Amino acid sequence: MIHALEVMAAGIRQTVMITVTAFLLGAVAGLPLALLRRSAWAVSRVCATVVVEVLRGVPPIAWLFIVYYAIGSGSVALSTFQAAVLGLGLIAAAHLCEAYRAGLDSVPGGQWQAVAALGLPPRAAYTRVILPQALVVVVPPMATFAIALLKESAVASVIGATDVAFFAVQQTQQDLNGLGNFAVAGAIYLALSVPLAAVARGVDGALTRRMGLVR
């Protein structure tokens, strides 16, 4: 067990890097998607909806194969890390888009009317009025998805990303102790997930208290 832990610990950095980078990519790309889904233009709403549903409907492993073997084998060469980040980042964008949309929809209509009455520019309206209120609703599902993404990142091992799951498979091929090796891998993923959940609860509580004081 100790040897297996030492072997798989080598993949922790890659697992964390894939998760964090894919999440950040999804967080950035998901916001414009959410705005397009709330657009007054029907064409924009339909296009954004199709993109979101396709990204969410195709299994993560299929996206990794598409990105790595189809896109990455062409004129644009992608490493296993880059392919994993891009594939999981696209999926994250679709899921976080829905979290953003739910947060924006939760802002009372009176707030939107007040922003319009004050004549605030769109950027100021969102950063000073809308987004702070939406964050209270957005943070919990974002945190839940971040934990799920950490676990889903294990599929990156199928394209050769040297994460925890990759080393678990390699070790099992050597000693044939699949139960023990994957129990250790599961414990590592759990150890990574628990602090993330604790931080998410802390941030959610802080935002809720702050918005409660504002109200």
Side-chain angles (χ1 to χ4, degrees):
M1 285 291 184
I2 300 299
H3 176 65
L5 179 60
E6 292 175 347
V7 170
M8 278 172 262
I12 292 176
R13 181 178 181 276
Q14 182 98 140
T15 294
V16 172
M17 288 297 295
I18 289 173
T19 303
V20 171
T21 312
F23 184 84
L24 291 176
L25 176 61
V28 173
L31 185 56
L33 272 177
L35 296 178
L36 286 173
R37 290 208 65 182
R38 302 183 77 258
S39 171
W41 296 88
V43 174
S44 298
R45 292 198 305 272
V46 170
C47 291
T49 300
V50 169
V51 170
V52 169
E53 293 304 322
V54 169
L55 289 174
R56 295 177 65 185
V58 177
I61 192 170
W63 278 119
L64 292 185
F65 284 146
I66 291 171
V67 171
Y68 186 62
Y69 292 111
I71 300 175
S73 62
S75 58
V76 179
L78 296 175
S79 66
T80 55
F81 174 79
Q82 292 170 331
V85 168
L86 181 56
L88 294 175
L90 290 173
I91 297 169
H95 285 276
L96 295 180
C97 161
E98 294 303 286
Y100 289 144
R101 191 164 68 96
L104 292 172
D105 289 344
S106 71
V107 177
Q111 297 294 312
W112 296 93
Q113 294 169 7
V115 165
L118 290 171
L120 288 177
R123 181 176 178 180
Y126 274 96
T127 57
R128 297 182 182 181
V129 180
I130 303 302
L131 292 182
Q133 297 180 69
L135 277 176
V136 178
V137 175
V138 169
V139 166
M142 286 184 72
T144 300
F145 178 74
I147 295 171
L149 182 62
L150 173 65
K151 293 179 286 187
E152 285 184 2
S153 69
V155 301
S157 62
V158 301
I159 59 172
T162 53
D163 60 357
V164 172
F166 174 86
F167 285 107
V169 172
Q170 294 293 307
Q171 185 63 23
T172 300
Q173 291 174 344
Q174 293 179 20
D175 60 18
L176 303 181
N177 183 20
L179 178 60
N181 292 329
F182 282 98
V184 171
I188 291 175
Y189 281 106
L190 181 62
L192 294 173
S193 299
V194 170
L196 181 58
V199 170
R201 285 194 296 270
V203 172
D204 181 42
L207 284 172
T208 301
R209 288 192 297 271
R210 181 173 180 180
M211 292 308 299
L213 290 173
V214 171
R215 290 172 188 158

